[in-house]
Amino acid sequence: MQPKFNLKTALHKLLGNATIVNVLVAGFSTFLVSGMGFFKEMVIADRFGLSELIDTFLIAVLVPAFISGVFLGSFHSVFIPNYVSELKTGKRIGAFQSTSFIVTIGVALVFLIIAFLFTDVYLEALYKGHTENYYTLVKTQFYYVAPCILFWGFTSVINGLLTIDNEFRYSSMSAIFTPISIIVCVVFFREELNTLVLAIGTLMGSVLGFLFVLSIALKRGVIFLNRPDFKSENIKTLFGQLPAKLSASLLSGVNPLIDQYFSAQLIVGSIAALNYGIKIPAFTISIVGIAIGNVLLPYFSKNAVDNKIETFKKLKKILKFVIIGSGTVMLIVILLSKPIISLIFEGNAFESDDTLIVSRIQQMYLLQIPSYIAGLIMVKFLTSINKNNFMVLTSIINLIFNIVLNYILIKSMGVYGLALATSIVATINGIILYAYINHLDKKNV
């Protein structure tokens, strides 16, 4: 006889699982942050529509975001498993932290200088055929956004310390200050700030986000600075894994640049249309994927040290539930794409014709949700066991497919083809990652 299902017992068991609770906490925090980010996009769409200012701002913020995602994001990923190892073995966490902060400061400053020096070259090479006013708008906004790199770097390392300390509630909230700052600037200071309104709002948000996580870290006592040590075993392992992770992130980070290059060849407003079209998919991915991924990286890192074989089994179980759940969400949102865009963005500068364009772009982007989230989790797993070398190969494959598919699909589908190419590449990436993980599992690596 089958035992009766007891909802109270099931909920108690669910909430008694620390990992699930952490995912729920991180998910709720991410939901608030993403919700505020979405409200920011509604405000911007209402005030600016598919305008030149939006296109130039997105180009201006692209390089700083690229640098942050490529190096700082890579360092954050390899920092966590090796810091966990240091906690379990070496215990020289003060030296490890100091070394990590020094590396972050140094690299952020180097990339900041490079970004300033090569802005003109970058614009002339990738965005030909625009007016002088267009390029001036990009550069003036870039000069205010570029310093965000340094604050994003500090925030990334401190957030890593907080997640290892099982602090997901406040650390996940640090990103909320940027959309809030942009909204305040747009609503109250648009006339005063003029074309710099979005760039200054972004800079203010990055500073406030850094100060917020710093205050939380100091309150929890997770910062221990000591004399840096570049020769410890875990630091050596970190630096050994960093080139592969950096290369993979660099290759992956080129994809948005490629998409913008192709979209810039189309009519003015195409970059903005792609930006609005990806908001719902990105919103879904951030709530589910980032919340799970942020919790699972330290979770996998801690479990892999104790029992790597059992960690493989846990990963596959997680993937099964994630693909089923995210696939269901994908189908529902695809069917409701047009009314969602109309409800959220349409009005004033954003017209009904814009709704038709953006809703179709959104449907193309939505196709990537299951494979993207699953791929994100698999990348976290491979990072936790220091298997970053393979991700360089997958990134090269993704880059080639993205260029080829963009070239082919933009001819037959225009801007919609760029969105569809992104989803196809995400699916290919997920299949390759799973095949490799399955290979490692069979070899008991």
Side-chain angles (χ1 to χ4, degrees):
M1 183 177 177
Q2 290 285 344
K4 291 184 178 180
F5 176 75
N6 189 304
L7 179 60
K8 184 176 180 181
T9 303
L11 286 174
H12 180 75
K13 184 178 179 180
L14 178 69
L15 296 176
N17 187 311
T19 302
I20 294 176
V21 171
N22 287 336
V23 169
L24 293 174
V25 170
F28 180 72
S29 299
T30 306
F31 175 79
L32 293 178
V33 173
S34 299
M36 184 57 66
F38 218 93
F39 180 65
K40 175 206 72 177
E41 295 299 330
M42 293 171 63
V43 172
I44 292 175
D46 181 68
R47 299 303 197 279
F48 302 106
L50 303 183
S51 65
E52 185 177 68
L53 179 63
I54 302 300
D55 277 9
T56 54
F57 171 72
L58 292 173
I59 294 172
V61 80
L62 186 64
V63 170
F66 173 76
I67 293 170
S68 175
V70 168
F71 179 80
L72 302 178
S74 299
F75 188 79
H76 173 84
S77 295
V78 297
F79 169 81
I80 289 178
N82 290 289
Y83 186 74
V84 168
S85 181
E86 185 69 27
L87 284 171
K88 288 180 174 286
T89 56
K91 296 292 185 181
R92 297 192 62 201
I93 57 176
F96 196 100
Q97 286 188 21
S98 297
T99 305
S100 300
F101 278 114
I102 289 173
V103 171
T104 300
I105 294 170
V107 174
L109 288 175
V110 168
F111 277 117
L112 185 61
I113 293 170
I114 292 173
F116 270 100
L117 292 177
F118 288 94
T119 302
D120 289 334
V121 176
Y122 159 71
L123 289 176
E124 291 175 7
L126 295 182
Y127 301 100
K128 296 180 180 179
H130 291 282
T131 65
E132 189 62 35
N133 181 62
Y134 189 92
Y135 297 126
T136 301
L137 278 173
V138 174
K139 286 186 280 188
T140 53
Q141 291 178 94
F142 170 78
Y143 295 144
Y144 282 88
V145 174
C148 295
I149 297 170
L150 189 59
F151 296 104
W152 289 337
F154 287 135
T155 302
S156 178
V157 175
I158 296 173
N159 270 335
L161 296 174
L162 290 172
T163 55
I164 293 169
D165 197 47
N166 291 324
E167 203 306 296
F168 299 98
R169 180 175 49 178
Y170 294 116
S171 60
S172 300
M173 293 294 292
S174 61
I176 202 169
F177 290 96
T178 296
I180 290 176
S181 297
I182 291 175
I183 291 169
V184 170
C185 289
V186 169
V187 174
F188 298 104
F189 302 102
R190 181 180 173 185
E191 295 298 324
E192 292 81 0
L193 298 177
N194 202 1
T195 56
L196 294 175
V197 61
L198 300 176
I200 291 177
T202 302
L203 177 59
M204 289 173 54
S206 67
V207 175
L208 292 173
F210 161 66
L211 294 175
F212 177 75
V213 295
L214 178 62
S215 65
I216 299 300
L218 292 174
K219 185 177 180 180
R220 290 182 70 95
V222 298
I223 296 180
F224 303 96
L225 299 180
N226 209 328
R227 184 177 179 179
D229 181 8
F230 290 88
K231 296 182 179 181
S232 74
E233 286 302 315
N234 287 310
I235 282 291
K236 287 181 180 178
T237 302
L238 184 154
F239 286 129
Q241 289 295 312
L242 188 58
K245 186 67 178 177
L246 180 60
S247 299
S249 297
L250 179 63
L251 291 166
S252 298
V254 169
N255 286 316
L257 290 172
I258 291 171
D259 290 346
Q260 282 208 3
Y261 169 77
F262 278 100
S263 61
Q265 314 308 310
L266 303 172
I267 62 172
V268 172
S270 295
I271 297 176
L274 285 169
N275 177 63
Y276 289 128
I278 201 173
K279 290 305 172 183
I280 293 288
F283 182 73
T284 306
I285 288 169
S286 65
I287 294 173
V288 181
I290 297 177
I292 293 176
N294 286 346
V295 173
L296 289 184
L297 179 54
Y299 171 77
F300 285 143
S301 300
K302 293 171 185 177
N303 280 270
V305 172
D306 300 324
N307 191 333
K308 192 175 290 186
I309 295 175
E310 189 63 28
T311 309
F312 275 97
K313 295 179 181 178
K314 291 178 179 178
L315 168 67
K316 291 183 178 181
K317 188 175 181 181
I318 290 168
L319 288 176
K320 185 188 299 181
F321 286 107
V322 165
I323 290 173
I324 293 172
S326 60
T328 303
V329 171
M330 176 194 73
L331 291 173
I332 293 172
V333 182
I334 284 177
L335 293 173
L336 299 174
S337 182
K338 185 179 176 182
I340 288 174
I341 294 297
S342 178
L343 178 66
I344 294 174
F345 293 121
E346 193 171 317
N348 292 328
F350 198 102
E351 300 174 351
S352 58
D353 288 343
D354 299 329
T355 295
L356 292 174
I357 296 170
V358 173
S359 63
R360 189 177 173 191
I361 291 173
Q362 177 178 265
Q363 289 175 327
M364 299 296 104
Y365 275 128
L366 284 166
L367 295 172
Q368 72 180 298
I369 288 178
S371 54
Y372 188 97
I373 295 174
L376 179 63
I377 293 171
M378 288 187 281
V379 166
K380 298 291 184 182
F381 174 79
L382 291 171
T383 300
S384 73
I385 60 173
N386 285 322
K387 293 291 181 181
N388 293 295
N389 290 332
F390 181 76
M391 285 183 279
V392 178
L393 176 60
T394 60
S395 297
I396 293 173
I397 295 171
N398 293 339
L399 180 61
I400 293 171
F401 269 109
N402 191 40
I403 294 172
V404 172
L405 289 171
N406 276 344
Y407 182 79
I408 294 172
L409 295 178
I410 197 173
K411 288 187 175 181
S412 58
M413 300 176 64
V415 69
Y416 309 113
L418 298 180
L420 180 59
T422 300
S423 293
I424 294 174
V425 170
T427 303
I428 294 171
N429 180 60
I431 293 170
I432 294 173
L433 287 174
Y434 185 80
Y436 178 65
I437 288 172
N438 204 42
H439 170 71
L440 292 178
D441 189 19
K442 289 179 179 178
K443 289 180 61 178
N444 293 323
V445 175

